[in-house]
Amino acid sequence: MSETVYIETSILGYLTARSTKNLILAGNIEMTRDWWELRRDAFTLYISQVVLDEAAQGDAEIAARRLEIVRNFPLLEVTESVEDLADQFMARSNLPPKASDDAVHIALATVNGLDYLLTWNCKHIANAQIRKKLLEVCLDFGYVLPIICTPYELMGA
């Protein structure tokens, strides 16, 4: 059985991003596209309605491309357990109020026992200080936090 990955919305944003002169962003876009092309088939990928809602925002043409990319991906359901854990993440970590959807992404991957949460959101999701608090919450509630990483970290050896 292959390892499981929750694809957070920022990954879709980088897959469909326009070219940029910002070298860091350009490198991240290229790495995301490389991971998508070379490594994604090694994993079972999941999304959620939250991802679909976020991916549908913004430029209509690019939003349509984002939605097409994940059209047939299995959806994880936002259950009461997911909502409860997301509430705990918000209450007990240093996630700001505007990051409530980010807490839901993390809770979805956690409650469903996925191996990885793939993201470029290093402010609220792939953040070492926030992750420390998320680990404490998961321990208190009997969950295992998935490995939260960027495509760089999931490229393989």
Side-chain angles (χ1 to χ4, degrees):
M1 183 171 174
S2 65
E3 292 180 298
T4 54
V5 177
Y6 181 86
I7 301 295
E8 188 267 333
T9 318
S10 62
I11 298 300
L12 303 176
Y14 277 77
L15 280 174
T16 58
R18 293 183 173 106
S19 62
T20 177
K21 291 182 181 184
N22 179 311
L23 294 180
I24 293 172
L25 289 178
N28 291 349
I29 290 167
E30 176 118 1
M31 176 55 63
T32 304
R33 291 175 181 168
D34 286 350
W35 183 87
W36 199 259
E37 181 181 326
L38 302 171
R39 294 284 295 150
R40 76 178 158 122
D41 289 338
F43 304 94
T44 302
L45 308 181
Y46 294 89
I47 60 167
S48 67
Q49 187 61 49
V50 181
V51 170
L52 293 175
D53 293 345
E54 290 176 341
Q57 296 175 13
D59 179 276
E61 182 180 325
I62 294 174
R65 286 182 31 218
R66 287 190 296 260
L67 293 172
E68 179 60 27
I69 288 170
V70 295
R71 183 172 43 99
N72 294 316
F73 283 30
L75 286 177
L76 300 178
E77 185 179 342
V78 179
T79 62
E80 187 174 331
S81 296
V82 169
E83 289 175 348
D84 290 346
L85 186 59
D87 288 345
Q88 288 298 316
F89 286 158
M90 291 302 295
R92 296 182 50 198
S93 76
N94 35 357
L95 284 168
K98 68 180 180 179
S100 60
D101 283 349
D102 297 334
V104 173
H105 289 304
I106 300 164
L108 278 158
T110 302
V111 169
N112 287 282
L114 300 189
D115 297 303
Y116 303 97
L117 189 165
L118 195 63
T119 185
W120 277 114
N121 182 338
C122 296
K123 186 171 186 178
H124 299 139
I125 299 177
N127 176 300
Q129 291 180 307
I130 291 172
R131 188 174 349 199
K132 182 179 177 186
K133 297 286 187 182
L134 298 174
L135 284 166
E136 291 171 7
V137 172
C138 286
L139 184 63
D140 288 349
F141 288 88
Y143 291 109
V144 175
L145 187 68
I147 295 170
I148 299 172
C149 59
T150 68
Y152 283 107
E153 299 165 286
L154 209 52
M155 274 304 282

